[in-house]
Amino acid sequence: MDEIKQELLELKFNVDSVGIIYWIEAIKFIKENPLVWDMIDIYENVAKIHNSTKYKVERLMRYAMLPAMENIQRKYGYYAKIKNQTFLDLIKFKLI
């Protein structure tokens, strides 16, 4: 978990948002279940853990990632639009 949190902090994710906690949970879930690719399943899992809804989880994850967009593009060399799924795919290959 520390490795995940450190990576998100280095990328300048919004640490004041609950979304960063959701990102940590989502990445942990992906590490434990590498065959799960459907974001709805990931959002539902995180929502269940935090007694929330998948819609709130998606929105807060997106909001937490906004300040990090340029850093993500620079670090991963990916210059197209970055969505939650895109970032999860990029970091999955780095951390797993």
Side-chain angles (χ1 to χ4, degrees):
M1 184 158 132
D2 290 334
E3 180 184 12
I4 297 167
K5 188 174 183 178
Q6 184 62 35
E7 179 73 16
L8 298 178
L9 293 175
E10 285 176 12
L11 290 169
K12 305 293 187 224
F13 269 65
N14 182 353
V15 295
D16 296 327
S17 169
V18 175
I20 195 166
I21 296 167
Y22 292 170
W23 272 109
I24 292 168
E25 290 292 339
I27 294 167
K28 281 181 9 187
F29 178 74
I30 284 297
K31 285 178 82 171
E32 294 167 2
N33 305 285
L35 298 178
V36 174
W37 287 92
D38 188 12
M39 286 303 290
I40 298 299
D41 292 339
I42 296 166
Y43 296 146
E44 287 175 348
N45 182 324
V46 173
K48 183 190 283 187
I49 292 169
H50 293 280
N51 197 26
S52 187
T53 67
K54 62 185 174 186
Y55 304 106
K56 288 181 183 177
V57 168
E58 184 277 330
R59 185 178 66 246
L60 288 170
M61 287 174 69
R62 188 171 15 98
Y63 176 74
M65 185 174 56
L66 285 176
M69 288 294 188
E70 288 181 22
N71 294 331
I72 293 168
Q73 290 174 332
R74 211 173 305 119
K75 182 168 185 165
Y76 293 98
Y78 186 88
Y79 296 97
K81 184 175 180 177
I82 298 176
K83 297 180 179 182
N84 288 354
Q85 176 73 54
T86 309
F87 177 68
L88 199 57
D89 291 343
L90 292 170
I91 199 164
K92 179 179 182 179
F93 292 112
K94 181 184 186 308
L95 295 177
I96 297 177

